Amino acid sequence: MRSFFRHLVSTTAMLTLATSAWAADSGTLPATVKQSLEAARVPLDAMSMAAIPLEGQGMAQFINADKVVNPASTMKLVTTYAALELLGPTYSWRSELLGTGPVSNGVLEGDLIFRTSGDPKMTLERMWSLLRELRAAGVREIAGDLILQPADIRLPINARPFPDDGNDPSKPFLVEPDPLLTNLKLLVLSSYGEDNGVRIHLEPALPEITIVNQLRLLEPVSNCPWPNVTYGIDDQGTHATVTLVGALHKGCSVQRYMSALDAPTYTGSTLRTLWRDMGGAVRGTTRVGQAPSGARSLARSDSPDLVTVIRDINKFSNNTMARQLFLTIGRETRNATDLDDQQAAVRSINKWLNVKGIQPTGLVMENGSGLSRIERLTARDMAMLLQQAWKSPYSAEFIASLPLAAMDGTMRRRLRNTSVAGQAHIKTGSLSGVRAIAGITRDANGQSWAVAAIVNHAAAGASREALDRVLTDVHRRAPTNVAANR
């Protein structure tokens, strides 16, 4: 019996030591990573790092891993993985056109209602297809109004716009989520140097956007230089003016992606413009409202499934889609105690993490996209989340949504001509004072690791090489290595 208790105490001590080793930082930063940080004048303690072997190989490594940091866009991994498990990989959004009256000789004798469910991927092409289906239903004219019915999404009352230091609210990555969001509120403004001057084309060509073209035409050149064009945007929500100033050489062109107008104005005007281009007409006005109980469906469009949506979010770090998805999680899981869908999403994701045995240290989720000055996470929690994702029944779908090193998405120009090219699925993160990577990478033996590395420092913008070298170091590890110190 005495030997049994000695064995029990010994075993308990070993388990305690093992747990402590797991909880504590281990090893040091790889020498190449240290060199890159020092060259970038970034303090070594500004990097938080966690690497967890996923197939029983090697040793986990944690460096400053419990420091609560801003993860930038790597926060999208939390939102998209949670969405896969809470909503399911086949989840989709439906948009419909409904009529309030009969169709007689091509005229809808009533109102046309556009009803959305908060689709983050309702593109211009899908809006066109929806209207083509309406034409196929025999409608060419609407006698009443165009009514926009918002999705049942409860935005936080005190939400504040992201304080971007670029001082340009027209940037597409700043577009806010909205119950009437379509086409990410995107506008494409193209300028072409032609014989008669500089021609401007806006897509979609919304009448609420006034273009003031002050561009001068220059003589043709053999190689078009970087365009000398500036854009002044006065956005009043219901209408906007875009002023172009500068010069463009004949035979050259320039394109600018931007956003303007509030969501109801943009969506209503886009629907009317596309309908007009098809030869259709709306006699009435555009207004926000609800479909009456007797309205009948005339056309509908289902979004691509969630797997496709999270691929767009993670490959291209789409903030607006991530934020719309975050609110969708809230809507689908809200209860009577939730004041809004942001609060519902935070509660549901925290509960989901706890069920998985992850109790995040200092997790702060504002909008689930990483476009935030206040969102927080630790490198350890991020790596543990990725470890759980590896075990998920939807692991293949989740991992395939991440950018592939040197090949696509936000990683397409990184780690080219290295051993990691094509071997790592990595989400990137970038904000002023923040650079981050997180994802699944493979070592030279073809075995997988969950890796997270985050730099929070004023000079973080210079730390890209150091972050890349975290991945190359993991790739070269032997089965028992922690890090390369040579």
Side-chain angles (χ1 to χ4, degrees):
M1 181 66 71
R2 202 172 285 173
S3 62
F4 167 79
F5 280 110
R6 279 199 300 267
H7 173 73
L8 181 61
V9 170
S10 175
T11 302
T12 303
M14 289 173 65
L15 287 171
T16 302
L17 285 170
T19 303
S20 300
W22 174 262
D25 278 3
S26 53
T28 59
L29 285 172
T32 56
V33 176
K34 288 181 182 177
Q35 291 166 6
S36 294
L37 288 174
E38 289 166 353
R41 297 184 178 180
V42 175
L44 300 186
D45 62 2
M47 175 179 278
S48 303
M49 176 187 159
I52 300 175
L54 299 174
E55 300 180 70
Q57 81 287 3
M59 299 169 61
Q61 182 180 19
F62 303 99
I63 300 171
N64 302 320
D66 295 311
K67 181 189 292 187
V68 178
V69 292
N70 187 326
S73 280
T74 60
M75 183 64 86
K76 292 181 175 73
L77 298 179
V78 180
T79 299
T80 53
Y81 174 32
L84 273 175
E85 295 210 341
L86 294 175
L87 304 180
T90 61
Y91 184 92
S92 64
W93 293 257
R94 172 165 293 180
S95 299
E96 286 186 283
L97 293 174
L98 304 97
T100 63
V103 178
S104 177
N105 297 319
V107 179
L108 172 60
E109 301 292 351
D111 298 325
L112 180 70
I113 298 140
F114 173 70
R115 182 165 66 191
T116 177
S117 59
D119 187 347
K121 198 174 168 63
M122 174 49 80
T123 61
L124 206 60
E125 293 77 14
R126 284 183 53 218
M127 295 173 79
W128 182 88
S129 295
L130 188 64
L131 292 169
R132 287 295 299 172
E133 189 176 332
L134 181 65
R135 285 302 301 265
V139 179
R140 57 177 172 75
E141 188 173 355
I142 292 97
D145 294 338
L146 172 61
I147 299 176
L148 308 175
Q149 179 172 328
D152 177 24
I153 291 179
R154 300 176 188 175
L155 298 172
I157 296 173
N158 298 319
R160 293 171 294 178
F162 176 72
D164 182 52
D165 48 17
N167 197 32
D168 184 358
S170 74
K171 292 288 189 183
F173 76 89
L174 294 172
V175 172
E176 301 277 331
D178 195 276
L180 278 170
L181 178 73
T182 55
N183 200 44
L184 301 174
K185 283 206 322 176
L186 189 64
L187 297 164
V188 185
L189 189 60
S190 303
S191 306
Y192 303 92
E194 299 179 346
D195 290 338
N196 298 323
V198 179
R199 177 173 61 87
I200 307 296
H201 177 75
L202 179 68
E203 185 65 32
L206 307 184
E208 291 80 5
I209 306 287
T210 301
I211 305 296
V212 179
N213 180 8
Q214 298 180 359
L215 294 178
R216 296 176 292 109
L217 183 67
L218 302 177
E219 291 298 316
V221 291
S222 56
N223 293 304
C224 292
W226 187 263
N228 177 27
V229 177
T230 58
Y231 303 83
I233 303 174
D234 179 18
D235 185 2
Q236 298 298 316
T238 57
H239 61 279
T241 301
V242 182
T243 303
L244 292 84
V245 178
L248 195 64
H249 290 275
K250 181 179 175 181
C252 297
S253 63
V254 60
Q255 195 171 69
R256 165 75 186 269
Y257 290 82
M258 63 180 66
S259 176
L261 307 177
D262 57 40
T265 301
Y266 179 95
T267 294
S269 184
T270 299
L271 287 167
R272 294 181 79 109
T273 298
L274 292 173
W275 185 240
R276 185 192 65 232
D277 290 347
M278 293 177 186
V282 181
R283 295 178 192 171
T285 186
T286 302
R287 57 189 173 89
V288 175
Q290 298 288 318
S293 58
R296 64 188 182 93
S297 179
L298 298 171
R300 72 185 189 189
S301 175
D302 290 332
S303 75
D305 61 22
L306 181 61
V307 171
T308 303
V309 170
I310 70 163
R311 185 182 187 278
D312 283 355
I313 290 172
N314 287 332
K315 290 281 188 187
F316 307 107
S317 205
N318 193 301
N319 294 315
T320 308
M321 291 179 71
R323 297 174 71 176
Q324 199 84 354
L325 176 60
F326 186 72
L327 292 172
T328 298
I329 293 172
R331 178 185 65 195
E332 296 295 342
T333 60
R334 82 166 73 115
N335 62 33
T337 67
D338 298 317
L339 297 176
D340 52 57
D341 289 337
Q342 186 266 355
Q343 187 180 95
V346 170
R347 176 186 54 75
S348 299
I349 290 173
N350 272 301
K351 180 180 177 182
W352 168 76
L353 288 170
N354 285 334
V355 169
K356 291 188 169 298
I358 302 174
Q359 297 177 337
T361 303
L363 174 65
V364 177
M365 299 191 79
E366 181 183 22
N367 56 48
S369 75
L371 185 68
S372 168
R373 300 295 184 197
I374 66 172
E375 290 198 321
R376 295 291 186 271
L377 190 64
T378 68
R380 183 191 300 272
D381 288 334
M382 178 64 78
M384 290 177 65
L385 179 86
L386 291 165
Q387 183 183 34
Q388 287 295 320
W390 175 260
K391 302 173 185 176
S392 170
Y394 312 128
S395 61
E397 289 78 8
F398 177 70
I399 294 168
S401 76
L402 308 186
L404 193 54
M407 292 190 174
D408 68 9
T410 56
M411 286 291 293
R412 67 190 180 280
R413 293 193 177 95
R414 295 176 67 165
L415 292 162
R416 289 180 176 177
N417 303 314
T418 71
S419 57
V420 184
Q423 301 293 313
H425 286 86
I426 299 296
K427 180 73 195 74
T428 59
S430 177
L431 279 177
S432 176
V434 184
R435 291 296 185 273
I437 57 169
I440 307 294
T441 189
R442 302 209 303 173
D443 60 29
N445 297 315
Q447 294 179 301
S448 297
W449 295 69
V451 177
I454 304 168
V455 176
N456 278 198
H457 188 265
S463 65
R464 174 171 146 170
E465 181 182 84
L467 292 168
D468 287 351
R469 285 183 165 179
V470 169
L471 297 174
T472 56
D473 177 77
V474 170
H475 186 268
R476 60 141 298 280
R477 294 186 186 188
T480 58
N481 279 161
V482 170
N485 295 304
R486 58 183 185 278

